[in-house]
Amino acid sequence: MTSTDMRYSILLVLLLTLLGCKPDKNEDPKPDTDLISGNYAPEAYTISIPKWMPPLPATPANELTKGGVALGRMLFYDPILSRDSTQACATCHQQALGFTDGLANSKGIRGQNGSRSSMPLVNLAYNTRGFFWDGRSVDLENQALLPIEDHLEMDDTWDNVERKLRRHKDYPTRFREAFGISRKTELTRDLVVKAISQFERTLISAQSRYDRIVWAKDDFPSDEEQRGLELFFIEYAGNQAHPGCSHCHFNPLFTDNNFHNNGLDAVPNLSAFKDLGRGKITSLLSDNGKFRTPSLRNVALSAPYMHDGRFKNLEEVLDNYSRGGHGVANEDPNIVPFPLTAQDKSDLIAFLKMLTDTSFVNNSAFSNPFKR
Ligand code: HEC
Ligand code: HEC
């Protein structure tokens, strides 16, 4: 044999040995690190709503379960969803402030300024007209996808958030309990936003002083509150112009969830709004400068006001409404000047404060689950 032949035959022997080498049948298979163990026994979560509230729209694609709501609450409060772990959803949506942040423009990670004011998260389960000030998200699931990758908000990537949650010591089990997944790789962004949305749908506020008095009838309004209530709800009395607030902020949600231009900006034409609002989404000129009516439930807690937080307090809001807009083409016809005495103003504010629901802002089911 030549030395080349010899090398070939050595290789051949090696190859045969390798092929013949079968794994030892008695050896345990390598533990599959992707598998999640634990129980999956989902229990339905029923939101209890008082009889004066309308029935909740069904969400067949994401039915609420106890495990799902509990997981959503954790995720909502967990800064793990932001790039540098400094910000949770709850940073900009604080329970004590009706789930807003008290700022004119929300601040993202590293303190960057967003361009809009945080929105109150209240009775969201009723809204079918789109989320955000401009309604650009069709549902809560879609809405929750956005803050994570928004550079001015949490500024992470979904791939990275999925990685962080999959290697976390608790979350995989929690996702299994909520959604019955059996592998960590099945823990995806879709399930994250489903859980968060389930929690958000439980944020029902319907036990304010107003509800106690008007619907439950277990208390009486003060004279001030009663006068404020009438001013708020009566649209016209003879020739006397009235605030007409309830035209858009009506019972029992105190919003129509629709888009209006409520007369904030004096612009020379419909293209000149600094923030186009709804118009940017629909590309309709007539929608420029329109924003979704926010609910006034807990409004006394959620200053400053409007999509850009331009008004510091409710006095400023009322002064502006009483001036009756600026005659811009698409201003809502219900935005008309009305007389507002100092007494009217304090009456209306007394009424707006009746919409504060202390049982909502103190509800331990909505609070930070990591603080005990
Ligand atoms: C940096 C502050 C910030 C963070 C963090 C943040 N939000 Fe928001 N949120 C806002 C602002 C500002 C808006 C209004 C933005 C707009 O209309 O363009 C908003 C709007 C919303 C709305 C729409 C409410 C409505 O009635 O239309 C929901 C729901 C919401 N946020 C949920 C969340 C969730 C869930 C998270 C975490 C995944 C989150 N937010 C994180 C500031 C924040
Ligand atoms: C034509 C419909 C309409 C009428 C009438 C109306 N509003 Fe509004 N309201 C809106 C819209 C739309 C917004 C959001 C506008 C924006 O941010 O650009 C708003 C915002 C507000 C806000 C700010 C809430 C927040 O979370 O920032 C308050 C407070 C308010 N309205 C109170 C009133 C009162 C009080 C009246 C009666 C004097 C009234 N509104 C009449 C549609 C209306």
Side-chain angles (χ1 to χ4, degrees):
M1 274 206 293
T2 64
S3 64
T4 324
D5 286 343
M6 189 115 100
R7 248 179 272 142
Y8 275 129
S9 49
I10 292 174
L11 267 178
L12 196 69
V13 172
L14 261 176
L15 196 70
L16 287 172
T17 332
L18 275 175
L19 284 174
C21 178
K22 299 221 176 71
D24 185 348
K25 287 211 183 77
N26 298 326
E27 211 175 60
D28 279 337
K30 244 178 127 200
D32 188 340
T33 51
D34 190 33
L35 279 177
I36 315 171
S37 58
N39 213 9
Y40 174 54
E43 270 183 80
Y45 182 107
T46 333
I47 303 179
S48 66
I49 42 168
K51 57 183 186 307
W52 52 87
M53 293 293 275
L56 287 166
T59 51
N62 188 15
E63 302 272 19
L64 270 60
T65 62
K66 287 184 181 158
V69 171
L71 171 61
R73 178 177 166 207
M74 288 176 78
L75 293 166
F76 185 87
Y77 280 95
D78 198 334
I80 194 172
L81 299 188
S82 66
R83 184 150 79 123
D84 56 2
S85 290
T86 56
Q87 225 179 27
C89 306
T91 310
C92 302
H93 300 286
Q94 300 169 23
Q95 186 181 13
L97 304 177
F99 289 100
T100 58
D101 60 3
L103 301 171
N105 300 140
S106 292
K107 278 197 191 318
I109 69 164
R110 300 185 299 269
Q112 295 145 306
N113 258 332
S115 62
R116 287 190 185 156
S117 186
S118 171
M119 298 182 78
L121 306 187
V122 60
N123 300 338
L124 298 174
Y126 286 104
N127 178 23
T128 53
R129 290 213 167 93
F131 291 90
F132 286 123
W133 287 105
D134 50 21
R136 69 185 180 280
S137 274
V138 289
D139 55 27
L140 284 172
E141 286 77 1
N142 170 280
Q143 191 287 326
L145 282 173
L146 303 177
I148 311 290
E149 296 194 335
D150 188 325
H151 298 308
L152 296 177
E153 295 189 359
M154 302 161 102
D155 193 27
D156 209 328
T157 64
W158 270 110
D159 286 344
N160 193 42
V161 167
E162 286 172 351
R163 266 197 299 277
K164 288 192 279 186
L165 293 173
R166 284 172 190 169
R167 63 170 185 244
H168 190 273
K169 66 178 175 30
D170 296 330
Y171 277 118
T173 321
R174 296 293 190 139
F175 275 86
R176 174 162 173 74
E177 281 163 10
F179 299 108
I181 57 169
S182 43
R183 298 185 163 273
K184 291 182 186 169
T185 39
E186 293 170 309
L187 193 173
T188 58
R189 63 201 73 182
D190 292 335
L191 298 183
V192 175
V193 299
K194 275 189 167 175
I196 293 178
S197 307
Q198 288 191 25
F199 169 65
E200 289 178 311
R201 291 197 174 98
T202 67
L203 302 175
I204 301 290
S205 172
Q207 300 286 0
S208 64
R209 178 166 162 75
Y210 172 83
D211 299 294
R212 306 301 330 150
I213 291 172
V214 173
W215 312 110
K217 301 202 188 315
D218 60 14
D219 209 341
F220 297 94
S222 68
D223 292 350
E224 219 186 10
E225 288 170 337
Q226 180 61 34
R227 285 194 303 266
L229 187 150
E230 284 166 18
L231 280 171
F232 188 90
F233 282 105
I234 299 169
E235 294 197 14
Y236 289 94
N239 295 329
Q240 170 81 58
H242 266 248
C245 315
S246 63
H247 191 85
C248 305
H249 301 280
F250 53 68
N251 261 324
L253 299 172
F254 289 89
T255 172
D256 58 0
N257 277 322
N258 225 330
F259 304 91
H260 305 277
N261 173 356
N262 67 340
L264 297 178
D265 293 309
V267 288
N269 59 67
L270 294 182
S271 307
F273 288 100
K274 190 171 152 219
D275 186 336
L276 295 182
R278 185 67 178 158
K280 180 138 185 252
I281 311 307
T282 63
S283 302
L284 292 174
L285 195 61
S286 59
D287 277 345
N288 284 356
K290 288 189 182 172
F291 292 88
R292 204 171 103 241
T293 312
S295 170
L296 298 186
R297 285 187 173 273
N298 302 302
V299 71
L301 306 175
S302 67
Y305 300 109
M306 306 298 167
H307 68 273
D308 53 4
R310 67 178 67 194
F311 299 129
K312 283 195 301 295
N313 51 42
L314 291 170
E315 283 82 354
E316 287 185 14
V317 170
L318 291 173
D319 286 339
N320 190 72
Y321 274 119
S322 82
R323 284 191 287 268
H326 303 275
V328 171
N330 65 353
E331 250 168 42
D332 191 281
N334 294 286
I335 299 299
V336 286
F338 56 88
L340 185 74
T341 63
Q343 180 73 60
D344 293 343
K345 216 175 179 175
S346 63
D347 292 348
L348 271 166
I349 290 175
F351 165 74
L352 291 171
K353 286 187 174 160
M354 286 171 84
L355 298 174
T356 301
D357 182 349
T358 47
S359 71
F360 176 75
V361 292
N362 294 321
N363 190 336
S364 57
F366 306 153
S367 65
N368 187 342
F370 302 106
K371 276 194 191 145
R372 276 168 227 277

